[in-house]
Amino acid sequence: MRTAYHHQLDELSVQLGEMCGLANEAMRGATKALLEADLDATERVIREHDRMVVMRGRAEREAFALLALQQPVAGELRAIFGAIQIIADIERMDALAVHVAKIARREHPNRALPDNVRACFADMAKVAIALGDNAKQVLMSHDPERAARLREQDDAMDELYRQLFSVLLDQNWTDNIPAAVDAALLGRFYERFADHAVEVGRRVIFMVSGDLPEQDDVSTY
Amino acid sequence: MRTAYHHQLDELSVQLGEMCGLANEAMRGATKALLEADLDATERVIREHDRMVVMRGRAEREAFALLALQQPVAGELRAIFGAIQIIADIERMDALAVHVAKIARREHPNRALPDNVRACFADMAKVAIALGDNAKQVLMSHDPERAARLREQDDAMDELYRQLFSVLLDQNWTDNIPAAVDAALLGRFYERFADHAVEVGRRVIFMVSGDLPEQDDVSTY
């Protein structure tokens, strides 16, 4: 028989999935804002962050209540322990999308990106959003194999990030400094978004198995 | 009478303080590496990160064991709940110091920073390390007023960060693009380090009072 307790646990899991979905929507909107100088998309991403803050608070309170009232053990305790950590990762993913949107807004009606890195950003965004979508699936399915694959998928982001910096740090590049500064920060935002999605996968593996895979090394940038 | 349980709780608190101290040492070393092109300091920071990863794993396991075996309630549950979140913040602080050190290493024997932003970085480092030291004190004292002051102290960082970007985004600046790109990333690393210290304070306030102060808005960069 499913108890109220299990219902609450499922509920928390659904909330994490929804939060991750919201963060992914934010990164989709922020990317549209960035690549197409779409001001409506920008404003929507920034406005919606309030909703994420509310959801974060609610999810944290519910995780706390589950610990306080149900005194869970074993797999159920791992699920809540992991949820506490994942909530913070997802909130950061959303905040990173807001950072992207704010740079797009500052440059509006111009496009924030120099032409020679636009294609790279289109690819980075694609990888970041795919990772976010997969993290959401992992949160709903608790499938450890799919969770482990997030780390492999992140290799594509690492490669794009390296490509971006090989352009930005090339002494022959002649675009203006502000454009390069924005591109560096924007690159970092996409790369961190992807890292947090990988971290969600790592935490789901812990929830399911009790083993926490090692983190990758701290990258050079 | 103090029980083994309370001893374990105190132990976790001590571990958080030590981890925060290690992250601060890392940022001190990384700053020396950056401002003085000190290669020994660089290598030490990068090497010591392994110790942080081990400490993080240990602290997480102990927090988990306390939840599993002691089924804490009220203030003690809040202390462990907060600890889970703080562990992640401190590990990030250390990783950000490693990022700074790695940029210093890449540029060695040159100095990574253009002359016109060196003073700004010296100030940012001072504020970041002071915030880290205060966060450590807060972790050991659980003093909510001191914890709340971290947020005010962070205003100085926000101001320095704005100053830095007013230089970097000034169309008249003529230094080379790679130097500007590095300065933008380095600025962000110091600013995020400070944010995590503030977040530690916010979590300690929750531990002590059960109230979680609101987060600041997502900044423009």
Side-chain angles (χ1 to χ4, degrees):
Chain A
M1 202 191 88
R2 304 288 293 165
T3 61
Y5 164 45
H6 287 108
H7 180 72
Q8 276 174 291
L9 262 177
D10 291 345
E11 194 48 44
L12 181 60
S13 200
V14 169
Q15 278 178 51
L16 294 184
E18 280 174 5
M19 286 171 69
C20 193
L22 195 65
N24 298 340
E25 269 317 297
M27 197 45 121
R28 260 192 201 93
T31 299
K32 202 169 150 58
L34 182 68
L35 296 178
E36 299 166 30
D38 179 332
L39 198 60
D40 283 348
T42 315
E43 297 297 344
R44 204 165 42 244
V45 171
I46 295 168
R47 212 170 42 234
E48 285 282 280
H49 186 65
D50 290 344
R51 198 145 73 94
M52 175 60 80
V53 172
V54 170
M55 287 172 88
R56 178 190 185 166
R58 186 178 151 212
E60 286 188 348
R61 280 192 301 279
E62 291 184 12
F64 188 83
L66 277 163
L67 290 174
L69 304 175
Q70 306 292 352
Q71 308 194 322
V73 291
E76 284 151 6
L77 178 55
R78 288 202 305 271
I80 301 167
F81 193 95
I84 297 168
Q85 296 166 315
I86 287 170
I87 290 166
D89 280 302
I90 296 175
E91 197 271 342
R92 279 308 302 160
M93 289 166 76
D94 201 67
L96 289 160
V98 173
H99 283 308
V100 172
K102 284 194 170 176
I103 290 186
R105 182 170 68 178
R106 170 161 52 72
E107 297 304 317
H108 188 84
N110 300 319
R111 287 175 173 176
L113 290 173
D115 285 340
N116 62 338
V117 295
R118 281 179 63 79
C120 184
F121 272 92
D123 289 342
M124 287 179 88
K126 215 175 283 173
V127 174
I129 292 165
L131 274 160
D133 285 339
N134 286 335
K136 182 183 169 180
Q137 293 303 321
V138 163
L139 283 169
M140 295 190 310
S141 66
H142 284 199
D143 175 348
E145 284 170 29
R146 193 162 186 170
R149 279 204 298 278
L150 284 168
R151 194 169 170 175
E152 294 158 30
Q153 289 157 1
D154 188 44
D155 291 345
M157 177 61 85
D158 292 342
E159 180 51 34
L160 288 165
Y161 195 63
R162 263 191 299 273
Q163 276 177 30
L164 174 66
F165 277 86
S166 73
V167 174
L168 295 181
L169 298 179
D170 181 345
Q171 302 280 354
N172 298 318
W173 191 35
T174 55
D175 213 308
N176 63 30
I177 288 181
V181 163
D182 276 348
L185 291 176
L186 288 163
R188 175 124 185 108
F189 300 150
Y190 281 101
E191 193 260 349
R192 288 296 301 152
F193 185 95
D195 281 348
H196 284 289
V198 174
E199 189 63 16
V200 167
R202 220 168 68 91
R203 294 295 169 184
V204 168
I205 291 171
F206 169 76
M207 284 178 173
V208 176
S209 68
D211 294 324
L212 188 65
E214 273 188 29
Q215 263 181 313
D216 285 330
D217 277 351
V218 178
S219 67
T220 301
Y221 299 108
Chain B
M1 203 191 87
R2 306 287 295 166
T3 60
Y5 163 44
H6 287 107
H7 180 72
Q8 277 174 289
L9 262 178
D10 291 346
E11 196 44 48
L12 182 60
S13 199
V14 168
Q15 278 179 50
L16 294 185
E18 280 173 7
M19 287 172 68
C20 193
L22 194 66
N24 298 341
E25 269 319 295
M27 197 44 120
R28 259 190 203 92
T31 299
K32 201 168 149 59
L34 182 68
L35 296 177
E36 299 166 30
D38 178 334
L39 198 60
D40 284 348
T42 314
E43 296 297 345
R44 203 161 46 243
V45 171
I46 295 168
R47 212 169 44 234
E48 286 281 280
H49 186 66
D50 290 344
R51 198 144 74 91
M52 175 59 80
V53 171
V54 170
M55 287 173 87
R56 178 191 185 165
R58 185 176 152 214
E60 285 188 347
R61 281 192 301 279
E62 291 183 14
F64 189 83
L66 276 164
L67 290 174
L69 304 174
Q70 305 292 353
Q71 309 195 321
V73 291
E76 284 150 4
L77 178 55
R78 287 202 305 271
I80 302 166
F81 193 94
I84 297 167
Q85 296 166 317
I86 286 170
I87 291 165
D89 280 301
I90 296 175
E91 197 271 342
R92 279 308 301 159
M93 288 166 76
D94 201 67
L96 289 161
V98 173
H99 283 307
V100 172
K102 286 195 170 177
I103 290 185
R105 181 170 70 177
R106 170 161 51 72
E107 297 303 317
H108 188 85
N110 300 318
R111 288 175 171 175
L113 290 173
D115 285 339
N116 63 339
V117 295
R118 281 180 62 79
C120 184
F121 272 93
D123 290 341
M124 286 179 88
K126 214 173 287 172
V127 174
I129 293 165
L131 274 162
D133 285 338
N134 287 334
K136 183 183 168 180
Q137 293 304 322
V138 163
L139 283 169
M140 294 190 311
S141 66
H142 283 200
D143 175 348
E145 284 169 29
R146 193 163 186 170
R149 280 204 297 277
L150 285 168
R151 195 169 169 174
E152 294 158 30
Q153 288 157 3
D154 187 44
D155 290 346
M157 177 61 85
D158 292 342
E159 180 51 36
L160 288 164
Y161 194 63
R162 262 191 300 272
Q163 276 176 30
L164 174 66
F165 276 86
S166 73
V167 174
L168 295 180
L169 298 178
D170 181 346
Q171 302 280 351
N172 299 319
W173 191 35
T174 54
D175 213 309
N176 62 31
I177 288 182
V181 163
D182 276 348
L185 291 177
L186 288 163
R188 176 130 183 104
F189 299 152
Y190 281 101
E191 193 259 349
R192 290 296 302 152
F193 185 94
D195 281 349
H196 284 289
V198 173
E199 189 64 17
V200 167
R202 221 168 66 92
R203 294 295 169 186
V204 168
I205 292 171
F206 169 75
M207 284 178 173
V208 176
S209 68
D211 294 325
L212 189 64
E214 272 188 30
Q215 264 182 312
D216 285 332
D217 277 353
V218 177
S219 68
T220 302
Y221 299 108

